Amino acid sequence: MELPVWELLADSVRLGLDLYIAIGQYSYMEIDKHTDRLSLAFGALADPTRRAILARLASGDADVSELMKPFALTQPTISKHLNVLEHAGLVRRGRDAQRRPRTLVAVPLKDIADWMEPFRRFWEQKFAGLDTYLKETRKKEKHRGRTKR
């Protein structure tokens, strides 16, 4: 029995994705897990407060008091979140007289986007294959409807 083209395509994509993941895992692995930039960035992004802080910093620099305003959190709590973001390389602390503004560092976000790109392509191919399958099914149904009349 011959497999449909979309199943063969899905199998080849799956094999390619498996290989990419295996190679990617090995290339990102380091002896000390704490120095793995991608893991640090994902860990920092796991918290909604830290994601909100990054979203705020995307519109410009801000100090701790400015970053505290939308949250019902204390200054030490916000500072702890900022320390995690700084350790992950997502935020940089500046110095402007007495003010200590934080700045968004987008490079780790690009690393995440680059890492996720093959998964995006994988799902786009899946959806394109499904779209093709549905179009073919509709054509067959229309064709059957004409022959029944």
Side-chain angles (χ1 to χ4, degrees), residues 47-148:
D47 185 275
T49 301
R50 291 192 287 265
R51 291 192 304 268
I53 290 170
L54 289 178
R56 165 54 186 86
L57 290 174
S59 66
D61 296 355
D63 60 27
V64 175
S65 63
E66 293 169 317
L67 294 170
M68 284 177 50
K69 288 179 184 174
F71 304 104
L73 299 172
T74 64
Q75 183 272 331
T77 303
I78 293 293
S79 291
K80 286 180 183 179
H81 283 297
L82 287 168
N83 286 336
V84 171
L85 291 168
E86 287 174 29
H87 184 67
L90 292 162
V91 170
R92 183 177 57 244
R93 184 187 320 214
R95 186 170 195 155
D96 182 18
Q98 298 295 69
R99 193 169 172 261
R100 303 277 187 273
R102 291 343 194 260
T103 303
L104 175 67
V105 179
V107 173
L109 298 173
K110 170 121 175 45
D111 292 342
I112 289 172
D114 291 345
W115 183 83
M116 292 184 70
E117 179 61 20
F119 300 101
R120 185 191 62 77
R121 284 194 310 265
F122 171 79
W123 281 109
E124 281 182 358
Q125 290 172 344
K126 286 285 198 186
F127 290 133
L130 179 60
D131 189 45
T132 301
Y133 174 76
L134 292 173
K135 286 177 183 176
E136 290 172 5
T137 303
R138 285 187 198 127
K139 283 181 187 177
K140 288 177 186 176
E141 287 175 359
K142 284 182 183 179
H143 181 28
R144 286 186 199 140
R146 286 188 212 147
T147 56
K148 288 183 180 178

